[in-house]
Amino acid sequence: MVQVEDHIYAKLQKDADDNRQIIKIISIIVGVIIFGLFFFTWGVDLIKLDIQKRNADLQMQIAITQAETNKRVMSIEKEGLTTEEYFKWLEVRNDN
């Protein structure tokens, strides 16, 4: 067994602690870089895909609402009422 003086042992221990701290800092930095790369390659695409899906759902809902409105307008015109007459009829109906 090798005997080392106390001050040399303390210096070696301090150097080892410093090395462990540097390794932790480097591993955190590498982890952040890897996370950033994954986020900006796949994460942004997933966010864009979600936005496109929501936009398509919204456009579909608008088209359905517009089709229902057109159907109501066509049924009103078939019954011989003008749009203004229909609104008056609706107002009278809602007042009751």
Side-chain angles (χ1 to χ4, degrees), residues 53-90:
K53 181 185 173 293
R54 290 176 189 259
N55 191 17
D57 290 342
L58 182 62
Q59 293 297 327
M60 182 182 67
Q61 191 64 29
I62 289 171
I64 289 171
T65 305
Q66 197 171 28
E68 290 173 352
T69 303
N70 288 341
K71 183 179 174 184
R72 286 186 193 140
V73 168
M74 294 297 278
S75 69
I76 291 169
E77 289 175 353
K78 280 184 182 177
E79 292 178 10
L81 294 176
T82 63
T83 308
E84 289 126 9
E85 291 173 339
Y86 175 73
F87 286 137
K88 287 179 187 175
W89 173 80
L90 217 102

PDB file of all heavy atoms in Angstrom, residues 53-90:
ATOM      1  N   LYS A  53     -54.064  19.319 -38.488  1.00  0.00           N
ATOM      2  CA  LYS A  53     -55.225  18.498 -38.149  1.00  0.00           C
ATOM      3  C   LYS A  53     -56.337  19.360 -37.566  1.00  0.00           C
ATOM      4  O   LYS A  53     -57.495  19.237 -37.946  1.00  0.00           O
ATOM      5  CB  LYS A  53     -54.830  17.409 -37.160  1.00  0.00           C
ATOM      6  CG  LYS A  53     -55.973  16.497 -36.769  1.00  0.00           C
ATOM      7  CD  LYS A  53     -55.535  15.515 -35.687  1.00  0.00           C
ATOM      8  CE  LYS A  53     -56.683  14.709 -35.168  1.00  0.00           C
ATOM      9  NZ  LYS A  53     -57.664  15.479 -34.437  1.00  0.00           N
ATOM     10  N   ARG A  54     -55.982  20.241 -36.649  1.00  0.00           N
ATOM     11  CA  ARG A  54     -56.985  21.136 -36.058  1.00  0.00           C
ATOM     12  C   ARG A  54     -57.587  22.058 -37.113  1.00  0.00           C
ATOM     13  O   ARG A  54     -58.790  22.330 -37.098  1.00  0.00           O
ATOM     14  CB  ARG A  54     -56.373  21.946 -34.925  1.00  0.00           C
ATOM     15  CG  ARG A  54     -56.048  21.114 -33.708  1.00  0.00           C
ATOM     16  CD  ARG A  54     -55.342  21.948 -32.656  1.00  0.00           C
ATOM     17  NE  ARG A  54     -54.837  21.136 -31.589  1.00  0.00           N
ATOM     18  CZ  ARG A  54     -55.422  20.996 -30.417  1.00  0.00           C
ATOM     19  NH1 ARG A  54     -56.554  21.628 -30.181  1.00  0.00           N
ATOM     20  NH2 ARG A  54     -54.898  20.242 -29.487  1.00  0.00           N
ATOM     21  N   ASN A  55     -56.766  22.538 -38.036  1.00  0.00           N
ATOM     22  CA  ASN A  55     -57.255  23.403 -39.106  1.00  0.00           C
ATOM     23  C   ASN A  55     -58.217  22.639 -40.012  1.00  0.00           C
ATOM     24  O   ASN A  55     -59.260  23.160 -40.401  1.00  0.00           O
ATOM     25  CB  ASN A  55     -56.078  23.954 -39.911  1.00  0.00           C
ATOM     26  CG  ASN A  55     -56.499  25.051 -40.858  1.00  0.00           C
ATOM     27  OD1 ASN A  55     -57.566  25.612 -40.722  1.00  0.00           O
ATOM     28  ND2 ASN A  55     -55.640  25.356 -41.805  1.00  0.00           N
ATOM     29  N   ALA A  56     -57.878  21.388 -40.326  1.00  0.00           N
ATOM     30  CA  ALA A  56     -58.762  20.575 -41.167  1.00  0.00           C
ATOM     31  C   ALA A  56     -60.084  20.293 -40.450  1.00  0.00           C
ATOM     32  O   ALA A  56     -61.149  20.345 -41.074  1.00  0.00           O
ATOM     33  CB  ALA A  56     -58.074  19.262 -41.534  1.00  0.00           C
ATOM     34  N   ASP A  57     -60.027  20.009 -39.144  1.00  0.00           N
ATOM     35  CA  ASP A  57     -61.261  19.794 -38.377  1.00  0.00           C
ATOM     36  C   ASP A  57     -62.126  21.040 -38.375  1.00  0.00           C
ATOM     37  O   ASP A  57     -63.359  20.972 -38.511  1.00  0.00           O
ATOM     38  CB  ASP A  57     -60.941  19.388 -36.933  1.00  0.00           C
ATOM     39  CG  ASP A  57     -60.363  17.992 -36.831  1.00  0.00           C
ATOM     40  OD1 ASP A  57     -60.509  17.210 -37.801  1.00  0.00           O
ATOM     41  OD2 ASP A  57     -59.769  17.682 -35.776  1.00  0.00           O
ATOM     42  N   LEU A  58     -61.486  22.200 -38.228  1.00  0.00           N
ATOM     43  CA  LEU A  58     -62.224  23.460 -38.235  1.00  0.00           C
ATOM     44  C   LEU A  58     -62.855  23.717 -39.597  1.00  0.00           C
ATOM     45  O   LEU A  58     -64.033  24.116 -39.678  1.00  0.00           O
ATOM     46  CB  LEU A  58     -61.286  24.602 -37.853  1.00  0.00           C
ATOM     47  CG  LEU A  58     -61.901  25.992 -37.764  1.00  0.00           C
ATOM     48  CD1 LEU A  58     -62.970  26.027 -36.677  1.00  0.00           C
ATOM     49  CD2 LEU A  58     -60.831  27.023 -37.489  1.00  0.00           C
ATOM     50  N   GLN A  59     -62.104  23.468 -40.669  1.00  0.00           N
ATOM     51  CA  GLN A  59     -62.650  23.659 -42.015  1.00  0.00           C
ATOM     52  C   GLN A  59     -63.826  22.710 -42.263  1.00  0.00           C
ATOM     53  O   GLN A  59     -64.825  23.091 -42.881  1.00  0.00           O
ATOM     54  CB  GLN A  59     -61.557  23.430 -43.067  1.00  0.00           C
ATOM     55  CG  GLN A  59     -60.459  24.463 -43.049  1.00  0.00           C
ATOM     56  CD  GLN A  59     -60.959  25.853 -43.387  1.00  0.00           C
ATOM     57  OE1 GLN A  59     -61.883  26.030 -44.163  1.00  0.00           O
ATOM     58  NE2 GLN A  59     -60.342  26.850 -42.769  1.00  0.00           N
ATOM     59  N   MET A  60     -63.716  21.471 -41.767  1.00  0.00           N
ATOM     60  CA  MET A  60     -64.811  20.522 -41.915  1.00  0.00           C
ATOM     61  C   MET A  60     -66.049  21.000 -41.164  1.00  0.00           C
ATOM     62  O   MET A  60     -67.165  20.938 -41.683  1.00  0.00           O
ATOM     63  CB  MET A  60     -64.387  19.148 -41.397  1.00  0.00           C
ATOM     64  CG  MET A  60     -65.457  18.080 -41.569  1.00  0.00           C
ATOM     65  SD  MET A  60     -64.967  16.480 -40.903  1.00  0.00           S
ATOM     66  CE  MET A  60     -64.903  16.833 -39.168  1.00  0.00           C
ATOM     67  N   GLN A  61     -65.863  21.507 -39.959  1.00  0.00           N
ATOM     68  CA  GLN A  61     -66.996  22.003 -39.167  1.00  0.00           C
ATOM     69  C   GLN A  61     -67.646  23.207 -39.843  1.00  0.00           C
ATOM     70  O   GLN A  61     -68.873  23.326 -39.863  1.00  0.00           O
ATOM     71  CB  GLN A  61     -66.513  22.379 -37.751  1.00  0.00           C
ATOM     72  CG  GLN A  61     -67.625  22.639 -36.781  1.00  0.00           C
ATOM     73  CD  GLN A  61     -68.460  21.396 -36.522  1.00  0.00           C
ATOM     74  OE1 GLN A  61     -67.985  20.283 -36.612  1.00  0.00           O
ATOM     75  NE2 GLN A  61     -69.713  21.614 -36.221  1.00  0.00           N
ATOM     76  N   ILE A  62     -66.832  24.078 -40.424  1.00  0.00           N
ATOM     77  CA  ILE A  62     -67.370  25.234 -41.152  1.00  0.00           C
ATOM     78  C   ILE A  62     -68.169  24.758 -42.352  1.00  0.00           C
ATOM     79  O   ILE A  62     -69.262  25.275 -42.630  1.00  0.00           O
ATOM     80  CB  ILE A  62     -66.222  26.182 -41.576  1.00  0.00           C
ATOM     81  CG1 ILE A  62     -65.650  26.891 -40.354  1.00  0.00           C
ATOM     82  CG2 ILE A  62     -66.702  27.194 -42.605  1.00  0.00           C
ATOM     83  CD1 ILE A  62     -64.378  27.682 -40.635  1.00  0.00           C
ATOM     84  N   ALA A  63     -67.661  23.772 -43.079  1.00  0.00           N
ATOM     85  CA  ALA A  63     -68.370  23.255 -44.254  1.00  0.00           C
ATOM     86  C   ALA A  63     -69.694  22.609 -43.855  1.00  0.00           C
ATOM     87  O   ALA A  63     -70.712  22.792 -44.537  1.00  0.00           O
ATOM     88  CB  ALA A  63     -67.488  22.253 -44.996  1.00  0.00           C
ATOM     89  N   ILE A  64     -69.705  21.870 -42.750  1.00  0.00           N
ATOM     90  CA  ILE A  64     -70.949  21.238 -42.283  1.00  0.00           C
ATOM     91  C   ILE A  64     -71.970  22.296 -41.896  1.00  0.00           C
ATOM     92  O   ILE A  64     -73.148  22.211 -42.267  1.00  0.00           O
ATOM     93  CB  ILE A  64     -70.651  20.291 -41.096  1.00  0.00           C
ATOM     94  CG1 ILE A  64     -69.904  19.062 -41.585  1.00  0.00           C
ATOM     95  CG2 ILE A  64     -71.936  19.890 -40.382  1.00  0.00           C
ATOM     96  CD1 ILE A  64     -69.371  18.181 -40.473  1.00  0.00           C
ATOM     97  N   THR A  65     -71.528  23.317 -41.164  1.00  0.00           N
ATOM     98  CA  THR A  65     -72.437  24.396 -40.765  1.00  0.00           C
ATOM     99  C   THR A  65     -72.968  25.140 -41.981  1.00  0.00           C
ATOM    100  O   THR A  65     -74.165  25.465 -42.047  1.00  0.00           O
ATOM    101  CB  THR A  65     -71.708  25.379 -39.824  1.00  0.00           C
ATOM    102  OG1 THR A  65     -71.167  24.661 -38.725  1.00  0.00           O
ATOM    103  CG2 THR A  65     -72.629  26.460 -39.327  1.00  0.00           C
ATOM    104  N   GLN A  66     -72.111  25.390 -42.938  1.00  0.00           N
ATOM    105  CA  GLN A  66     -72.537  26.077 -44.158  1.00  0.00           C
ATOM    106  C   GLN A  66     -73.540  25.225 -44.942  1.00  0.00           C
ATOM    107  O   GLN A  66     -74.524  25.746 -45.480  1.00  0.00           O
ATOM    108  CB  GLN A  66     -71.314  26.408 -45.007  1.00  0.00           C
ATOM    109  CG  GLN A  66     -71.552  27.448 -46.066  1.00  0.00           C
ATOM    110  CD  GLN A  66     -70.256  27.882 -46.705  1.00  0.00           C
ATOM    111  OE1 GLN A  66     -69.296  27.118 -46.753  1.00  0.00           O
ATOM    112  NE2 GLN A  66     -70.220  29.111 -47.195  1.00  0.00           N
ATOM    113  N   ALA A  67     -73.327  23.918 -45.002  1.00  0.00           N
ATOM    114  CA  ALA A  67     -74.255  23.032 -45.700  1.00  0.00           C
ATOM    115  C   ALA A  67     -75.607  23.009 -44.998  1.00  0.00           C
ATOM    116  O   ALA A  67     -76.658  23.023 -45.663  1.00  0.00           O
ATOM    117  CB  ALA A  67     -73.671  21.626 -45.780  1.00  0.00           C
ATOM    118  N   GLU A  68     -75.601  22.974 -43.667  1.00  0.00           N
ATOM    119  CA  GLU A  68     -76.867  23.010 -42.932  1.00  0.00           C
ATOM    120  C   GLU A  68     -77.607  24.318 -43.162  1.00  0.00           C
ATOM    121  O   GLU A  68     -78.831  24.333 -43.324  1.00  0.00           O
ATOM    122  CB  GLU A  68     -76.613  22.804 -41.434  1.00  0.00           C
ATOM    123  CG  GLU A  68     -76.186  21.399 -41.081  1.00  0.00           C
ATOM    124  CD  GLU A  68     -75.769  21.270 -39.631  1.00  0.00           C
ATOM    125  OE1 GLU A  68     -75.666  22.301 -38.922  1.00  0.00           O
ATOM    126  OE2 GLU A  68     -75.538  20.119 -39.198  1.00  0.00           O
ATOM    127  N   THR A  69     -76.866  25.410 -43.203  1.00  0.00           N
ATOM    128  CA  THR A  69     -77.477  26.720 -43.466  1.00  0.00           C
ATOM    129  C   THR A  69     -78.071  26.755 -44.867  1.00  0.00           C
ATOM    130  O   THR A  69     -79.204  27.229 -45.066  1.00  0.00           O
ATOM    131  CB  THR A  69     -76.433  27.837 -43.299  1.00  0.00           C
ATOM    132  OG1 THR A  69     -75.883  27.766 -41.992  1.00  0.00           O
ATOM    133  CG2 THR A  69     -77.053  29.205 -43.520  1.00  0.00           C
ATOM    134  N   ASN A  70     -77.333  26.259 -45.837  1.00  0.00           N
ATOM    135  CA  ASN A  70     -77.845  26.221 -47.215  1.00  0.00           C
ATOM    136  C   ASN A  70     -79.087  25.352 -47.313  1.00  0.00           C
ATOM    137  O   ASN A  70     -80.029  25.677 -48.042  1.00  0.00           O
ATOM    138  CB  ASN A  70     -76.772  25.718 -48.171  1.00  0.00           C
ATOM    139  CG  ASN A  70     -75.671  26.735 -48.384  1.00  0.00           C
ATOM    140  OD1 ASN A  70     -75.848  27.921 -48.123  1.00  0.00           O
ATOM    141  ND2 ASN A  70     -74.518  26.265 -48.836  1.00  0.00           N
ATOM    142  N   LYS A  71     -79.117  24.251 -46.584  1.00  0.00           N
ATOM    143  CA  LYS A  71     -80.277  23.361 -46.585  1.00  0.00           C
ATOM    144  C   LYS A  71     -81.505  24.090 -46.021  1.00  0.00           C
ATOM    145  O   LYS A  71     -82.600  23.979 -46.564  1.00  0.00           O
ATOM    146  CB  LYS A  71     -79.968  22.115 -45.756  1.00  0.00           C
ATOM    147  CG  LYS A  71     -81.066  21.101 -45.736  1.00  0.00           C
ATOM    148  CD  LYS A  71     -80.662  19.908 -44.908  1.00  0.00           C
ATOM    149  CE  LYS A  71     -81.816  18.930 -44.752  1.00  0.00           C
ATOM    150  NZ  LYS A  71     -81.467  17.824 -43.865  1.00  0.00           N
ATOM    151  N   ARG A  72     -81.303  24.841 -44.937  1.00  0.00           N
ATOM    152  CA  ARG A  72     -82.415  25.603 -44.359  1.00  0.00           C
ATOM    153  C   ARG A  72     -82.913  26.661 -45.334  1.00  0.00           C
ATOM    154  O   ARG A  72     -84.120  26.859 -45.484  1.00  0.00           O
ATOM    155  CB  ARG A  72     -81.978  26.269 -43.051  1.00  0.00           C
ATOM    156  CG  ARG A  72     -81.852  25.313 -41.913  1.00  0.00           C
ATOM    157  CD  ARG A  72     -81.560  26.048 -40.627  1.00  0.00           C
ATOM    158  NE  ARG A  72     -81.145  25.120 -39.604  1.00  0.00           N
ATOM    159  CZ  ARG A  72     -80.196  25.327 -38.728  1.00  0.00           C
ATOM    160  NH1 ARG A  72     -79.542  26.464 -38.737  1.00  0.00           N
ATOM    161  NH2 ARG A  72     -79.892  24.415 -37.830  1.00  0.00           N
ATOM    162  N   VAL A  73     -81.985  27.350 -45.973  1.00  0.00           N
ATOM    163  CA  VAL A  73     -82.363  28.389 -46.933  1.00  0.00           C
ATOM    164  C   VAL A  73     -83.142  27.775 -48.084  1.00  0.00           C
ATOM    165  O   VAL A  73     -84.170  28.322 -48.524  1.00  0.00           O
ATOM    166  CB  VAL A  73     -81.120  29.155 -47.440  1.00  0.00           C
ATOM    167  CG1 VAL A  73     -81.456  30.037 -48.633  1.00  0.00           C
ATOM    168  CG2 VAL A  73     -80.520  29.988 -46.322  1.00  0.00           C
ATOM    169  N   MET A  74     -82.705  26.621 -48.571  1.00  0.00           N
ATOM    170  CA  MET A  74     -83.411  25.952 -49.678  1.00  0.00           C
ATOM    171  C   MET A  74     -84.812  25.539 -49.247  1.00  0.00           C
ATOM    172  O   MET A  74     -85.765  25.676 -50.014  1.00  0.00           O
ATOM    173  CB  MET A  74     -82.610  24.729 -50.150  1.00  0.00           C
ATOM    174  CG  MET A  74     -81.280  25.067 -50.792  1.00  0.00           C
ATOM    175  SD  MET A  74     -81.465  26.034 -52.278  1.00  0.00           S
ATOM    176  CE  MET A  74     -81.809  24.742 -53.425  1.00  0.00           C
ATOM    177  N   SER A  75     -84.949  25.026 -48.017  1.00  0.00           N
ATOM    178  CA  SER A  75     -86.278  24.619 -47.554  1.00  0.00           C
ATOM    179  C   SER A  75     -87.186  25.830 -47.378  1.00  0.00           C
ATOM    180  O   SER A  75     -88.388  25.763 -47.646  1.00  0.00           O
ATOM    181  CB  SER A  75     -86.182  23.818 -46.256  1.00  0.00           C
ATOM    182  OG  SER A  75     -85.772  24.647 -45.191  1.00  0.00           O
ATOM    183  N   ILE A  76     -86.638  26.956 -46.955  1.00  0.00           N
ATOM    184  CA  ILE A  76     -87.435  28.191 -46.816  1.00  0.00           C
ATOM    185  C   ILE A  76     -87.906  28.643 -48.187  1.00  0.00           C
ATOM    186  O   ILE A  76     -89.071  29.005 -48.380  1.00  0.00           O
ATOM    187  CB  ILE A  76     -86.599  29.298 -46.137  1.00  0.00           C
ATOM    188  CG1 ILE A  76     -86.349  28.948 -44.686  1.00  0.00           C
ATOM    189  CG2 ILE A  76     -87.278  30.651 -46.243  1.00  0.00           C
ATOM    190  CD1 ILE A  76     -85.320  29.842 -44.011  1.00  0.00           C
ATOM    191  N   GLU A  77     -87.012  28.636 -49.163  1.00  0.00           N
ATOM    192  CA  GLU A  77     -87.378  29.079 -50.503  1.00  0.00           C
ATOM    193  C   GLU A  77     -88.382  28.131 -51.145  1.00  0.00           C
ATOM    194  O   GLU A  77     -89.242  28.556 -51.921  1.00  0.00           O
ATOM    195  CB  GLU A  77     -86.121  29.215 -51.363  1.00  0.00           C
ATOM    196  CG  GLU A  77     -85.252  30.393 -50.952  1.00  0.00           C
ATOM    197  CD  GLU A  77     -83.953  30.468 -51.722  1.00  0.00           C
ATOM    198  OE1 GLU A  77     -83.641  29.529 -52.494  1.00  0.00           O
ATOM    199  OE2 GLU A  77     -83.237  31.462 -51.546  1.00  0.00           O
ATOM    200  N   LYS A  78     -88.321  26.819 -50.829  1.00  0.00           N
ATOM    201  CA  LYS A  78     -89.292  25.869 -51.362  1.00  0.00           C
ATOM    202  C   LYS A  78     -90.674  26.139 -50.802  1.00  0.00           C
ATOM    203  O   LYS A  78     -91.677  25.924 -51.473  1.00  0.00           O
ATOM    204  CB  LYS A  78     -88.876  24.431 -51.023  1.00  0.00           C
ATOM    205  CG  LYS A  78     -87.826  23.869 -51.921  1.00  0.00           C
ATOM    206  CD  LYS A  78     -87.563  22.426 -51.563  1.00  0.00           C
ATOM    207  CE  LYS A  78     -86.469  21.849 -52.425  1.00  0.00           C
ATOM    208  NZ  LYS A  78     -86.149  20.468 -52.061  1.00  0.00           N
ATOM    209  N   GLU A  79     -90.734  26.578 -49.541  1.00  0.00           N
ATOM    210  CA  GLU A  79     -92.029  26.855 -48.930  1.00  0.00           C
ATOM    211  C   GLU A  79     -92.602  28.183 -49.396  1.00  0.00           C
ATOM    212  O   GLU A  79     -93.729  28.526 -49.047  1.00  0.00           O
ATOM    213  CB  GLU A  79     -91.886  26.861 -47.401  1.00  0.00           C
ATOM    214  CG  GLU A  79     -91.585  25.496 -46.835  1.00  0.00           C
ATOM    215  CD  GLU A  79     -91.389  25.534 -45.332  1.00  0.00           C
ATOM    216  OE1 GLU A  79     -91.666  26.573 -44.709  1.00  0.00           O
ATOM    217  OE2 GLU A  79     -90.941  24.515 -44.785  1.00  0.00           O
ATOM    218  N   GLY A  80     -91.868  28.943 -50.142  1.00  0.00           N
ATOM    219  CA  GLY A  80     -92.372  30.185 -50.688  1.00  0.00           C
ATOM    220  C   GLY A  80     -92.110  31.382 -49.800  1.00  0.00           C
ATOM    221  O   GLY A  80     -92.606  32.472 -50.086  1.00  0.00           O
ATOM    222  N   LEU A  81     -91.379  31.230 -48.749  1.00  0.00           N
ATOM    223  CA  LEU A  81     -91.065  32.363 -47.882  1.00  0.00           C
ATOM    224  C   LEU A  81     -89.755  33.007 -48.329  1.00  0.00           C
ATOM    225  O   LEU A  81     -88.822  32.323 -48.729  1.00  0.00           O
ATOM    226  CB  LEU A  81     -90.892  31.908 -46.421  1.00  0.00           C
ATOM    227  CG  LEU A  81     -92.101  31.361 -45.698  1.00  0.00           C
ATOM    228  CD1 LEU A  81     -91.692  30.873 -44.313  1.00  0.00           C
ATOM    229  CD2 LEU A  81     -93.178  32.414 -45.562  1.00  0.00           C
ATOM    230  N   THR A  82     -89.715  34.310 -48.234  1.00  0.00           N
ATOM    231  CA  THR A  82     -88.440  34.973 -48.450  1.00  0.00           C
ATOM    232  C   THR A  82     -87.653  34.895 -47.148  1.00  0.00           C
ATOM    233  O   THR A  82     -88.188  34.532 -46.098  1.00  0.00           O
ATOM    234  CB  THR A  82     -88.630  36.451 -48.837  1.00  0.00           C
ATOM    235  OG1 THR A  82     -89.252  37.130 -47.741  1.00  0.00           O
ATOM    236  CG2 THR A  82     -89.476  36.603 -50.080  1.00  0.00           C
ATOM    237  N   THR A  83     -86.407  35.232 -47.229  1.00  0.00           N
ATOM    238  CA  THR A  83     -85.567  35.173 -46.032  1.00  0.00           C
ATOM    239  C   THR A  83     -86.080  36.136 -44.968  1.00  0.00           C
ATOM    240  O   THR A  83     -86.120  35.797 -43.787  1.00  0.00           O
ATOM    241  CB  THR A  83     -84.106  35.506 -46.390  1.00  0.00           C
ATOM    242  OG1 THR A  83     -83.695  34.680 -47.481  1.00  0.00           O
ATOM    243  CG2 THR A  83     -83.181  35.295 -45.226  1.00  0.00           C
ATOM    244  N   GLU A  84     -86.502  37.336 -45.390  1.00  0.00           N
ATOM    245  CA  GLU A  84     -87.026  38.303 -44.417  1.00  0.00           C
ATOM    246  C   GLU A  84     -88.303  37.797 -43.771  1.00  0.00           C
ATOM    247  O   GLU A  84     -88.502  37.942 -42.556  1.00  0.00           O
ATOM    248  CB  GLU A  84     -87.275  39.661 -45.085  1.00  0.00           C
ATOM    249  CG  GLU A  84     -86.003  40.391 -45.453  1.00  0.00           C
ATOM    250  CD  GLU A  84     -85.991  40.779 -46.920  1.00  0.00           C
ATOM    251  OE1 GLU A  84     -87.013  40.645 -47.598  1.00  0.00           O
ATOM    252  OE2 GLU A  84     -84.927  41.216 -47.374  1.00  0.00           O
ATOM    253  N   GLU A  85     -89.165  37.154 -44.551  1.00  0.00           N
ATOM    254  CA  GLU A  85     -90.397  36.597 -43.976  1.00  0.00           C
ATOM    255  C   GLU A  85     -90.078  35.480 -42.992  1.00  0.00           C
ATOM    256  O   GLU A  85     -90.720  35.365 -41.950  1.00  0.00           O
ATOM    257  CB  GLU A  85     -91.306  36.073 -45.096  1.00  0.00           C
ATOM    258  CG  GLU A  85     -91.899  37.154 -45.960  1.00  0.00           C
ATOM    259  CD  GLU A  85     -92.644  36.587 -47.160  1.00  0.00           C
ATOM    260  OE1 GLU A  85     -92.379  35.428 -47.540  1.00  0.00           O
ATOM    261  OE2 GLU A  85     -93.480  37.313 -47.714  1.00  0.00           O
ATOM    262  N   TYR A  86     -89.103  34.705 -43.323  1.00  0.00           N
ATOM    263  CA  TYR A  86     -88.704  33.626 -42.425  1.00  0.00           C
ATOM    264  C   TYR A  86     -88.188  34.181 -41.099  1.00  0.00           C
ATOM    265  O   TYR A  86     -88.525  33.685 -40.038  1.00  0.00           O
ATOM    266  CB  TYR A  86     -87.636  32.743 -43.073  1.00  0.00           C
ATOM    267  CG  TYR A  86     -87.091  31.686 -42.136  1.00  0.00           C
ATOM    268  CD1 TYR A  86     -87.850  30.581 -41.783  1.00  0.00           C
ATOM    269  CD2 TYR A  86     -85.821  31.831 -41.587  1.00  0.00           C
ATOM    270  CE1 TYR A  86     -87.361  29.627 -40.920  1.00  0.00           C
ATOM    271  CE2 TYR A  86     -85.321  30.877 -40.720  1.00  0.00           C
ATOM    272  CZ  TYR A  86     -86.092  29.771 -40.394  1.00  0.00           C
ATOM    273  OH  TYR A  86     -85.613  28.834 -39.524  1.00  0.00           O
ATOM    274  N   PHE A  87     -87.360  35.233 -41.179  1.00  0.00           N
ATOM    275  CA  PHE A  87     -86.854  35.836 -39.951  1.00  0.00           C
ATOM    276  C   PHE A  87     -87.977  36.430 -39.119  1.00  0.00           C
ATOM    277  O   PHE A  87     -87.977  36.341 -37.892  1.00  0.00           O
ATOM    278  CB  PHE A  87     -85.799  36.899 -40.247  1.00  0.00           C
ATOM    279  CG  PHE A  87     -84.468  36.324 -40.677  1.00  0.00           C
ATOM    280  CD1 PHE A  87     -83.760  36.884 -41.729  1.00  0.00           C
ATOM    281  CD2 PHE A  87     -83.919  35.235 -40.028  1.00  0.00           C
ATOM    282  CE1 PHE A  87     -82.541  36.363 -42.113  1.00  0.00           C
ATOM    283  CE2 PHE A  87     -82.698  34.698 -40.408  1.00  0.00           C
ATOM    284  CZ  PHE A  87     -82.012  35.265 -41.457  1.00  0.00           C
ATOM    285  N   LYS A  88     -88.967  37.024 -39.773  1.00  0.00           N
ATOM    286  CA  LYS A  88     -90.124  37.546 -39.033  1.00  0.00           C
ATOM    287  C   LYS A  88     -90.885  36.395 -38.377  1.00  0.00           C
ATOM    288  O   LYS A  88     -91.292  36.492 -37.220  1.00  0.00           O
ATOM    289  CB  LYS A  88     -91.055  38.319 -39.968  1.00  0.00           C
ATOM    290  CG  LYS A  88     -90.510  39.656 -40.381  1.00  0.00           C
ATOM    291  CD  LYS A  88     -91.468  40.357 -41.332  1.00  0.00           C
ATOM    292  CE  LYS A  88     -90.841  41.626 -41.868  1.00  0.00           C
ATOM    293  NZ  LYS A  88     -91.680  42.282 -42.878  1.00  0.00           N
ATOM    294  N   TRP A  89     -91.070  35.301 -39.109  1.00  0.00           N
ATOM    295  CA  TRP A  89     -91.763  34.138 -38.558  1.00  0.00           C
ATOM    296  C   TRP A  89     -90.993  33.575 -37.358  1.00  0.00           C
ATOM    297  O   TRP A  89     -91.551  33.234 -36.333  1.00  0.00           O
ATOM    298  CB  TRP A  89     -91.904  33.069 -39.643  1.00  0.00           C
ATOM    299  CG  TRP A  89     -92.458  31.773 -39.145  1.00  0.00           C
ATOM    300  CD1 TRP A  89     -93.753  31.481 -38.917  1.00  0.00           C
ATOM    301  CD2 TRP A  89     -91.698  30.609 -38.789  1.00  0.00           C
ATOM    302  NE1 TRP A  89     -93.880  30.199 -38.455  1.00  0.00           N
ATOM    303  CE2 TRP A  89     -92.624  29.640 -38.359  1.00  0.00           C
ATOM    304  CE3 TRP A  89     -90.364  30.283 -38.796  1.00  0.00           C
ATOM    305  CZ2 TRP A  89     -92.236  28.379 -37.941  1.00  0.00           C
ATOM    306  CZ3 TRP A  89     -89.978  29.034 -38.378  1.00  0.00           C
ATOM    307  CH2 TRP A  89     -90.923  28.092 -37.955  1.00  0.00           C
ATOM    308  N   LEU A  90     -89.666  33.519 -37.488  1.00  0.00           N
ATOM    309  CA  LEU A  90     -88.830  33.022 -36.401  1.00  0.00           C
ATOM    310  C   LEU A  90     -88.916  33.934 -35.191  1.00  0.00           C
ATOM    311  O   LEU A  90     -88.982  33.456 -34.050  1.00  0.00           O
ATOM    312  CB  LEU A  90     -87.372  32.948 -36.875  1.00  0.00           C
ATOM    313  CG  LEU A  90     -86.610  31.767 -36.330  1.00  0.00           C
ATOM    314  CD1 LEU A  90     -86.548  30.719 -37.433  1.00  0.00           C
ATOM    315  CD2 LEU A  90     -85.237  32.142 -35.937  1.00  0.00           C
TER     316      LEU A  90
END
